[in-house]
């Protein structure tokens, strides 16, 4: 039996730093399970001082499932599973600068994302994460009842976002439940985000816009959030099924750079029953 990991929560609501793990070393099944359990409990995990190679990053990602390929983002080492995350003085946009759940416009949106930053600005470049179980739980019962059973259109458009890089595939679009049941925890999470969710099905444009505007505002409540300050070789891994995130671009003209490995997910569903 391997040693236990140390789980240090950042807030009572979301986020925990994991200590006592070196991801460049083989991970026993027991340790993997401890990390997985901590992830399900805290939604976003952070690791410090992880000097891992791209191969080790891929290997860690594959422990959670098959890897996802972003529709449009550039990649490194000729491998589309190694998504490039890079902003510098020549950038006109930063990836992930608005609240979103990664590629929620996919029919089967990514389960989770594992970001390893190699280079960070001297100050700034933090990432905010928000707990979508807490966002759902905080709504009044009449609003919860209105949302359950509704579906929304998620549409992606990466035009001009990644310069000259040719997209890997067509920009996806999909219809998903507004409230989704997490397949592991059985908890209900709000699943609309300003990055991709365009319209609620079966409502007039005015009704849909008003409801989405309210929800987009609601999910940004700081009470649902934690804020991560990166260091070189930090890793953050977030569960896209119950987390939204936003990367703050407050460090221009400095450079922030790393690699994201993303794990494929399942089609979102709503179930009244806890799984
Ligand atoms: C992203 O993967 O959405 C960006 C997150 C970040 O750069 O902090």
């Amino acid at each position: 039996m391997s040693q236990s990991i140390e789980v240090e929560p950042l807030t009572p609501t979301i986020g925990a730093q994991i200590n006592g793990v070196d991801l460049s070393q083989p991970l026993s099944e027991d340790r993997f399970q401890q990390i997985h359990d901590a992830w399900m409990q805290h939604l976003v995990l952070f690791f410090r001082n992880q000097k891992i190679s791209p191969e080790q990053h891929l290997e860690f990602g594959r422990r959670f499932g098959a890897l996802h390929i972003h529709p449009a983002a550039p990649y490194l080492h000729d491998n589309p599973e190694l998504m490039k995350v890079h902003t510098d003085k020549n950038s006109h946009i930063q990836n992930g600068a608005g609240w979103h759940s990664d590629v929620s416009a996919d029919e089967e949106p990514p389960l989770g994302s594992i970001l390893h930053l190699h280079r960070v600005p001297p100050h700034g470049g933090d990432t905010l994460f928000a707990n979508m179980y807490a966002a759902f739980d905080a709504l009044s019962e009449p609003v919860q009842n209105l949302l359950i059973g509704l579906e929304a259109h998620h549409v992606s458009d990466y035009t001009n976002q990644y310069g000259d890089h040719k997209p890997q595939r067509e920009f996806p679009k999909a219809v998903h439940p507004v409230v989704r049941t997490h397949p592991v925890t059985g908890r209900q999470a709000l699943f609309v985000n300003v990055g991709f969710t365009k319209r609620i099905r079966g409502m007039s444009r005015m009704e849909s816009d008003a409801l989405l505007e309210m929800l987009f505002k609601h999910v940004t409540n700081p009470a649902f959030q934690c804020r991560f300050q990166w260091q070189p070789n930090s890793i953050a891994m977030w569960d896209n099924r119950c987390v939204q995130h936003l990367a703050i671009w407050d460090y221009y003209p400095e450079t922030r750079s790393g690699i994201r490995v993303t794990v494929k997910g399942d089609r979102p569903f709503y179930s009244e029953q806890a799984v």
Side-chain angles (χ1 to χ4, degrees):
M1 179 103 165
S2 56
Q3 266 185 317
S4 293
I5 59 170
E6 190 197 336
V7 182
E8 192 184 329
L10 254 76
T11 78
T13 312
I14 181 168
Q17 182 166 310
I18 302 298
N19 300 321
V21 177
D22 179 353
L23 295 173
S24 71
Q25 299 302 311
L27 199 59
S28 69
E29 193 47 41
D30 175 54
R31 279 217 146 179
F32 167 74
Q33 204 51 52
Q34 289 179 38
I35 292 173
H36 187 268
D37 293 349
W39 198 25
M40 293 306 100
Q41 186 178 348
H42 297 281
L43 289 61
V44 188
L45 298 183
F46 307 107
F47 302 81
R48 298 289 190 189
N49 300 315
Q50 299 292 330
K51 294 197 176 117
I52 56 168
S53 65
E55 290 70 31
Q56 289 163 337
H57 193 168
L58 290 166
E59 203 178 312
F60 182 55
R62 286 196 192 104
R63 296 293 290 266
F64 298 90
L67 300 183
H68 171 268
I69 292 178
H70 194 280
Y75 47 86
L76 291 159
H77 308 296
D78 230 9
N79 183 349
E81 292 171 340
L82 292 169
M83 180 178 148
K84 179 176 169 183
V85 172
H86 181 95
T87 311
D88 64 22
K89 63 178 182 336
N90 299 314
S91 305
H92 65 281
I93 194 168
Q94 176 182 264
N95 182 55
W99 283 104
H100 67 289
S101 170
D102 290 325
V103 202
S104 71
D106 263 342
E107 293 275 355
E108 297 183 337
L111 172 165
S113 305
I114 305 168
L115 178 61
H116 184 213
L117 286 191
H118 312 133
R119 184 163 168 190
V120 300
H123 309 286
D126 297 355
T127 308
L128 302 181
F129 297 92
N131 177 335
M132 292 302 108
Y133 300 135
F136 179 71
D137 291 345
L139 292 167
S140 65
E141 208 177 312
V143 174
Q144 288 183 344
N145 289 336
L146 169 70
L147 298 181
I148 286 171
L150 289 178
E151 293 181 317
H153 293 274
H154 293 236
V155 179
S156 62
D157 182 357
Y158 298 100
T159 314
N160 299 328
Q161 191 164 327
Y162 296 112
D164 293 340
H165 175 76
K166 189 170 160 290
Q168 278 76 257
R169 54 186 163 98
E170 243 179 73
F171 299 158
K173 54 181 188 218
V175 173
H176 297 308
V178 168
V179 180
R180 74 180 289 186
T181 306
H182 194 289
V184 178
T185 66
R187 297 183 63 188
Q188 315 297 10
L190 203 53
F191 196 63
V192 290
N193 68 83
V194 72
F196 295 105
T197 315
K198 303 298 175 202
R199 181 142 183 190
I200 297 182
R201 253 182 154 179
M203 289 193 171
S204 70
R205 169 58 70 189
M206 186 182 71
E207 290 166 342
S208 169
D209 284 354
L211 190 50
L212 285 176
E213 192 187 328
M214 184 274 283
L215 294 174
F216 294 158
K217 189 169 170 198
H218 175 69
V219 301
T220 65
N221 183 337
F224 310 145
Q225 295 175 19
C226 70
R227 177 172 180 141
F228 185 58
Q229 289 186 304
W230 295 86
Q231 294 164 357
N233 289 314
S234 296
I235 289 178
M237 55 187 287
W238 56 92
D239 184 337
N240 283 300
R241 299 166 295 190
C242 54
V243 172
Q244 290 191 32
H245 61 284
L246 175 154
I248 303 170
W249 193 17
D250 56 357
Y251 52 88
Y252 185 86
E254 301 292 341
T255 299
R256 181 179 184 272
S257 193
I259 298 179
R260 192 179 94 191
V261 164
T262 310
V263 184
K264 272 187 179 170
D266 300 327
R267 180 180 275 277
F269 65 91
Y270 172 76
S271 163
E272 236 175 87
Q273 305 294 325
V275 176

